Amino acid sequence: MLSLSINSTKINSSNIANAKNYQHNGNTNFCTNNLKCDKFEKNISNKNVSFTGYFPDECHSTQIKQIVNLIKRNKNNKIILLAHKSPDGDAIGSMLALKRLIEKSTGNKNVNALTFNNLPHNLQFVDKNKEIRIITKDFKVPSANDKEFLSKLNEQYGEAPLLITTDVSCLNMIDTAFKSLIKTAKNVIKIDHHPEGENFGNINLVDEKKESASQLVMQMVKPLGIKTKDIDSSISDPIALGVLSDSGSFAFAKTHEIFTDTSKLSTTSSIGQITREMNKMTPQEFQTYNNLLNSVRFSPDGKIAYYFVDMAQNHYVTKEINRNVLTSISNIDGVKYYFSISGSSKKRTSTIMASIRSSSKEILNAIKSIGGNGHEYSCGLMKKNSTMYEIKDLILDKLEALGD
């Protein structure tokens, strides 16, 4: 079992700048992001091990206890919750579920879940009461670097006694405007499921075997003193959204844990309805989705499929549309690998982004070798000073080398 101590020292600018270089420092033991629940795999038949659902995995129990202690210690103080920029279902679901769990457990009315821009329209159903604060609506924001805006933001939310991030693997995934909030927070907790991230928190609860960060939030129910019978759809729905979103509705399930978790959630959530809601598109988005499908290209042997998204021409391509297109491609017989490349076809200086998937073989190491990261079967890549076609060739070479 892991034994970690909490460092209540402020995170300062040098900590942030050197987040990648966090090491064991003095008496402070930072969790590594290679946490593996091997004990779970070996002790499935042990009735004393509550390995999933609303109870913490045994290998997480010490960390979760420390997180809960910090939450309860700040029950009368300001708590800030952040997810990554352009939040998806898991980012929104884990942050919103955690907010509601903290409020239910402690009665704290000063728990602030923040995002910079509007939530995607197809995910807004989970936040009908507008509990997530949209910063661009609360403030006049000329730009994310505007000094007056940043001053007001920090005046209202800065120097928080406790700040928690969910589904954030590294600091560059945070909106620029929010980085100062992390820098001035007295205690920072990171809850995530991505491998190879940065340990930028005082406590880093990271499990790369989980399909979603929402599953880690789910394990905090009992430690927060909430009884299973008191869990309703206000908590189970956002968690279910996170699980379904990041697992591709189970297409990228890693272990059988996800099905046990979903089974528990289904007692208070309509899994089918959540799936339908998160897949909804406007007529314009549907047309864009259809156009992208028609643009899919294949390698000569038909084992690799890919398409380009020229952002100068496709203004309606959201992360959700891209996810739906990739999911549809995964159903094509014979396709082993598939990816999308987004950027400008005219500007070499623009940032090119790629989403890469595999239907059967692990691709993480191959994509890491060209500067990407992610999960075993689902990775991302971001490059500057390249063209979309150069990135396409780079990815194709790596995937072709993997074979079947």
Side-chain angles (χ1 to χ4, degrees):
M1 182 166 301
L2 297 173
S3 178
L4 302 175
S5 60
I6 298 176
N7 174 15
S8 59
T9 306
K10 281 188 179 182
I11 301 294
N12 57 40
S13 58
S14 63
N15 293 141
I16 296 298
N18 294 296
K20 287 187 176 180
N21 299 318
Y22 267 127
Q23 302 291 334
H24 295 295
N25 181 15
N27 295 322
T28 302
N29 296 317
F30 287 96
C31 162
T32 68
N33 55 354
N34 295 318
L35 182 65
K36 298 185 189 307
C37 285
D38 295 327
K39 196 161 190 175
F40 159 75
E41 298 292 348
K42 296 174 183 176
N43 291 287
I44 291 173
S45 61
N46 187 342
K47 293 181 180 179
N48 295 322
V49 178
S50 297
F51 52 80
T52 192
Y54 299 122
F55 302 80
D57 287 348
E58 188 169 347
C59 61
H60 297 147
S61 59
T62 299
Q63 284 175 290
I64 288 179
K65 185 181 295 184
Q66 293 174 335
I67 292 171
V68 168
N69 286 341
L70 264 180
I71 289 172
K72 291 189 174 180
R73 192 187 306 170
N74 288 283
K75 65 180 181 180
N76 297 317
N77 297 326
K78 176 170 56 183
I79 297 177
I80 304 298
L81 306 182
L82 300 176
H84 59 72
K85 52 190 169 185
S86 301
D88 56 14
D90 190 29
I92 294 167
S94 57
M95 180 169 64
L96 189 57
L98 183 58
K99 179 183 190 296
R100 291 169 177 172
L101 283 171
I102 293 173
E103 291 171 342
K104 183 182 280 285
S105 172
T106 66
N108 191 334
K109 302 299 183 184
N110 199 6
V111 183
N112 303 275
L114 310 179
T115 187
F116 194 70
N117 292 310
N118 288 332
L119 305 184
H121 75 88
N122 62 315
L123 303 180
Q124 292 177 13
F125 72 93
V126 80
D127 187 28
K128 293 177 181 177
N129 295 326
K130 312 295 183 185
E131 297 171 58
I132 296 176
R133 304 294 298 274
I134 311 298
I135 293 301
T136 50
K137 288 185 177 179
D138 290 354
F139 299 91
K140 292 182 179 179
V141 186
S143 75
N145 295 309
D146 181 77
K147 290 183 179 180
E148 184 179 352
F149 155 65
L150 290 175
S151 176
K152 291 180 180 179
L153 179 70
N154 283 288
E155 183 180 343
Q156 184 163 343
Y157 297 114
E159 298 185 358
L162 179 59
L163 183 147
I164 306 174
T165 68
T166 62
D167 200 32
V168 178
S169 68
C170 52
L171 291 171
N172 65 13
M173 292 181 67
I174 294 283
D175 279 293
T176 302
F178 293 150
K179 290 182 181 178
S180 61
L181 303 184
I182 296 178
K183 198 179 296 184
T184 62
K186 294 179 180 178
N187 290 285
V188 176
I189 295 171
K190 168 185 172 179
I191 300 175
D192 187 41
H193 68 118
H194 296 94
E196 305 294 333
E198 299 169 356
N199 286 337
F200 55 80
N202 299 98
I203 302 175
N204 300 282
L205 176 60
V206 181
D207 188 348
E208 63 189 66
K209 286 190 173 181
K210 292 287 186 288
E211 285 81 1
S212 66
S214 296
Q215 289 167 276
L216 289 168
V217 171
M218 185 179 181
Q219 291 185 22
M220 297 178 67
V221 169
K222 185 180 179 183
L224 279 168
I226 300 171
K227 296 179 180 179
T228 304
K229 66 180 181 65
D230 293 328
I231 295 297
D232 56 21
S233 60
S234 69
I235 292 170
S236 60
D237 279 359
I239 293 176
L241 172 64
V243 172
L244 291 166
S245 175
D246 259 26
S247 70
S249 297
F250 310 119
F252 302 110
K254 298 178 183 178
T255 72
H256 64 275
E257 283 182 79
I258 188 172
F259 300 106
T260 309
D261 288 346
T262 307
S263 175
K264 291 179 182 292
L265 293 167
S266 67
T267 61
T268 50
S269 286
S270 173
I271 302 300
Q273 182 61 30
I274 292 172
T275 302
R276 288 188 289 274
E277 290 288 343
M278 61 184 269
N279 288 326
K280 281 185 176 179
M281 290 181 271
T282 65
Q284 179 62 58
E285 288 172 338
F286 178 77
Q287 187 63 53
T288 301
Y289 163 81
N290 190 50
N291 290 340
L292 291 175
L293 277 180
N294 287 329
S295 72
V296 172
R297 308 177 188 187
F298 298 88
S299 61
D301 61 6
K303 294 179 180 179
I304 303 175
Y306 60 93
Y307 62 96
F308 297 101
V309 180
D310 189 338
M311 299 308 295
Q313 301 176 11
N314 294 279
H315 302 292
Y316 292 94
V317 178
T318 62
K319 290 177 69 174
E320 287 69 36
I321 289 178
N322 202 44
R323 175 178 59 83
N324 287 336
V325 174
L326 288 170
T327 299
S328 295
I329 293 174
S330 72
N331 295 319
I332 300 174
D333 190 29
V335 170
K336 305 294 183 183
Y337 310 105
Y338 44 105
F339 60 93
S340 67
I341 298 178
S342 303
S344 172
S345 61
K346 298 179 180 180
K347 296 181 181 180
R348 172 176 285 276
T349 56
S350 72
T351 299
I352 307 297
M353 302 183 69
S355 296
I356 308 126
R357 306 286 186 267
S358 169
S359 61
S360 58
K361 197 166 188 175
E362 292 188 10
I363 57 173
L364 179 57
N365 288 333
I367 302 305
K368 281 171 63 176
S369 71
I370 54 176
N373 214 324
H375 303 284
E376 290 95 332
Y377 304 98
S378 174
C379 295
L381 175 67
M382 184 168 64
K383 291 280 190 181
K384 291 185 178 181
N385 301 318
S386 299
T387 68
M388 291 198 292
Y389 301 100
E390 289 170 343
I391 299 303
K392 180 261 295 183
D393 291 338
L394 191 64
I395 296 171
L396 277 176
D397 286 344
K398 288 297 178 182
L399 296 180
E400 287 170 350
L402 288 174
D404 293 341

